[in-house]
Amino acid sequence: MFRRNSPPPSAPETTVAPKADGKGRPTPSRKEAEAAARARARTTRTRKEMAAAQRAARAESSQRMREALKTGDERYLPTRDRGPMRRFIRDFVDVRFSLIELLIPIMVVSLILGWTGNQYLMGVSEIVLLGSMVFIVMDMVWLRLRLRRELAQRFPGESYKGTTYYAVMRAMQMKFMRLPKPTHKIGETLSDTYR
């Protein structure tokens, strides 16, 4: 009366081969995963610790910038000194002798002569100071004209805004005081390409 049903034939078992590009390590337990996530998300808790971390980051950045100013490493230079055009301007100023480099020594001599109290020497100091100012202004005009011509050859179609100021500020410093440090000597020939 009751017929016993026979179980359906079982499907052939298939084994799944492990992926060749598997992660190669066991899956971490939930407890381990949460602990790792908490460790990644942990931040400094107090304002004192945050301030100390910021100070350390600023000190490291300043140290890298000081080193870059000595070595010329473009990655860490201040923004005003980065780029091929600024590098060319620095080199252009460094390879020429500029009268403006003598401004500080001339001013010191002029002050010393002025303090002597001797009317003749005071007059000489004024003439020396005024004459040097005239020559320096002429030298800076000549610097600007030559710099613009060289920039037009090497960087056609680019904006030259701020280039004269940058060149004059560098030219006003004595060579050993310039930063980034000069890489060329006076009279050297500069490359035609600065890209």
Side-chain angles (χ1 to χ4, degrees), residues 10 22 32 47 51 57 70 78 82 85 93 96 99 108 112 134 144 158 163 165-168 194:
S10 62
E32 291 170 341
R47 283 176 35 184
K70 291 176 187 173
R82 287 187 196 155
M85 188 183 293
V93 170
R96 68 188 295 273
L99 288 175
V108 170
I112 292 170
V134 169
R144 183 184 191 280
E158 293 193 28
T163 54
Y165 177 78
Y166 186 72
V168 169
Y194 264 77

Side-chain angles (χ1 to χ4, degrees), residues 66-133:
R66 279 193 297 273
E67 286 298 316
L69 287 170
K70 291 176 187 173
T71 61
D73 188 354
E74 289 266 341
R75 295 172 298 168
Y76 303 117
L77 283 176
T79 309
R80 72 170 192 273
D81 295 317
R82 287 187 196 155
M85 188 183 293
R86 296 296 168 127
R87 190 170 69 246
F88 169 73
I89 293 170
R90 290 195 300 270
D91 292 347
F92 180 80
V93 170
D94 292 340
V95 298
R96 68 188 295 273
F97 176 75
S98 180
L99 288 175
I100 203 166
E101 290 181 58
L102 302 176
L103 180 62
I104 294 174
I106 288 171
M107 289 180 74
V108 170
V109 169
S110 180
L111 283 172
I112 292 170
L113 291 175
W115 286 338
T116 59
N118 186 323
Q119 291 296 323
Y120 176 74
L121 292 178
M122 289 169 67
V124 169
S125 76
E126 288 180 12
I127 292 170
V128 167
L129 191 58
L130 288 174
S132 62
M133 290 291 185

